[in-house]
Amino acid sequence: MNNYRPNASDIADKKFGQNFLEDRSIVEKIIEAMPEDDLPIVEIGPGLGDLTQELVRVRSVTAFEVDKRLCGYLEKRFSGAIADGRLRLECGDVLKRWEGGSLLEQPYRLVANLPYYIATTILLKALRDPHCRSTLTMVQKEVAEKFAACEGDRNFSALSVLAGSVGEATVRFLVPPEAFNPPPKVDSAVLEIRKEHSLNDEAFEAFLRVAFKQPRKTLMKNLSSVYPKAVLTSLFEEVGLQQTLRPHQVGTSLYRRIYQALTKESDHGKKSESECGATKPKR
Ligand code: SAM
């Protein structure tokens, strides 16, 4: 690959979730939606660099790209910005990079058109990363709606509770498949999550996986696969929860309360491993 811009549909590699955003008006809308401050930006998956181009005009950017072919192209396209320090390009898998700690050693904002096959994983990592202050990301519409759903919505999920626990999630705008080349098979949305703090309790995440394990069953039924029914019954009574409620009908603060009460019950309040069997929360 030389430094001439490659044709997006010729080089797009499905295994890396490559749907390049070619509609300039959407790129502009993303830039306009960014919070107004000086925090540096992390971009995951700069691709051919069209969003990157606009980001480096306004902020310093660190970009993580897994595809070596694209890294070569980006190094040439952005040689000036790299030389004067506006852009730092890291070639490699961002998920592996996250294993070594925060993506940046200072507060940052994540702005990206994410690879959809790992978008939820990336967003959860960003919610856990103490240096990440907010995310403004293009994701599959259904994923955005799950993060931003309110209590009582049919798609209120463990992701909604996690986002609501750290701050506020909002769907900023919807994006049709034609904005991309090649077009994805799904609708997209730009999702913003503003964080007040970070996720730092893996046990709470595991508790939510149990609570939402079978969304059509009652919350009581899901939780009683792990916690003793008697403890749950008195707890539901104490917090004024009906046993017939399904997981999406209970709000973030009540989930926190139930979790804290069950955690206080500690190990002797939980069923033994053999009783939990296959339904024990997986890490
Ligand atoms: N930002 C570009 C745009 O808006 O046109 C490209 C977005 S494309 C949907 C997703 C990008 O993420 C691709 O460039 C892809 O190679 C990159 N990517 C996929 N998996 C990745 C990973 N594990 N780590 C870093 N980048 C990744």
Side-chain angles (χ1 to χ4, degrees):
M1 188 186 293
N2 59 28
N3 57 347
Y4 292 109
R5 183 189 169 83
N7 185 300
S9 51
D10 290 345
I11 60 142
D13 189 337
K14 270 194 191 157
K15 87 168 174 286
F16 290 136
Q18 289 174 355
N19 300 98
F20 301 101
L21 180 59
E22 290 202 331
D23 186 331
R24 285 194 57 80
S25 71
I26 303 291
V27 173
E28 278 161 25
K29 275 178 92 167
I30 294 174
I31 301 292
E32 279 164 19
M34 282 167 54
E36 284 178 21
D37 58 26
D38 296 334
L39 288 186
I41 299 299
V42 163
E43 185 188 10
I44 293 173
L48 290 168
D50 293 349
L51 176 59
T52 321
Q53 176 77 54
E54 297 310 313
L55 290 172
V56 294
R57 282 192 215 283
V58 289
R59 302 283 178 84
S60 77
V61 179
T62 300
F64 297 86
E65 176 53 62
V66 74
D67 187 338
K68 289 193 176 66
R69 302 170 309 157
L70 296 177
C71 289
Y73 169 73
L74 291 165
E75 276 162 12
K76 289 179 187 129
R77 175 170 179 181
F78 292 102
S79 55
I82 291 171
D84 67 26
R86 276 176 296 138
L87 175 65
R88 202 163 62 83
L89 184 62
E90 280 197 34
C91 200
D93 181 347
V94 74
L95 297 181
K96 290 223 173 77
R97 176 62 179 66
W98 240 315
E99 285 168 14
S102 187
L103 289 186
L104 218 58
E105 286 317 309
Q106 66 182 106
Y108 71 86
R109 298 195 185 281
L110 173 64
V111 180
N113 171 17
L114 291 178
Y116 291 179
Y117 74 107
I118 46 170
T120 301
T121 307
I122 287 174
L123 286 172
L124 288 175
K125 293 221 176 257
L127 295 189
R128 292 183 200 120
D129 186 337
H131 285 154
C132 178
R133 293 288 192 263
S134 67
T135 69
L136 183 67
T137 55
M138 179 88 73
V139 294
Q140 188 174 333
K141 182 174 159 249
E142 281 71 21
V143 171
E145 287 172 347
K146 273 191 181 169
F147 273 97
C150 297
E151 169 194 349
D153 292 352
R154 287 195 73 76
N155 49 9
F156 187 73
S157 66
L159 297 177
S160 332
V161 178
L162 291 173
S165 305
V166 299
E168 198 178 353
T170 322
V171 176
R172 296 297 300 257
F173 53 90
L174 303 181
V175 182
E178 310 80 74
F180 304 84
N181 187 9
K185 290 195 172 69
V186 293
D187 286 329
S188 302
V190 169
L191 168 75
E192 180 174 39
I193 306 177
R194 291 203 183 213
K195 292 172 63 186
E196 278 151 28
H197 39 257
S198 296
L199 290 178
N200 61 1
D201 186 353
E202 282 184 31
F204 181 55
E205 295 184 43
F207 160 77
L208 289 175
R209 282 196 287 277
V210 174
F212 284 90
K213 191 167 182 167
Q214 298 197 72
R216 287 170 198 279
K217 298 264 157 76
T218 63
L219 175 61
M220 174 58 95
K221 172 107 182 139
N222 285 341
L223 289 179
S224 58
S225 66
V226 171
Y227 301 96
K229 186 91 192 268
V231 171
L232 292 169
T233 303
S234 66
L235 182 55
F236 272 46
E237 216 170 275
E238 189 187 315
V239 299
L241 264 187
Q242 287 169 18
Q243 294 199 17
T244 50
L245 290 178
R246 285 187 284 151
H248 72 277
Q249 296 172 309
V250 176
T252 300
S253 53
L254 264 182
Y255 273 112
R256 280 248 156 240
R257 225 174 127 191
I258 297 169
Y259 166 70
Q260 274 154 9
L262 290 172
T263 311
K264 261 199 218 133
E265 283 284 323
S266 79
D267 292 340
H268 60 81
K270 272 193 174 178
K271 287 182 181 176
S272 69
E273 201 151 325
S274 57
E275 277 176 288
C276 297
T279 56
K280 195 164 189 293
K282 291 188 183 75
R283 287 286 162 86

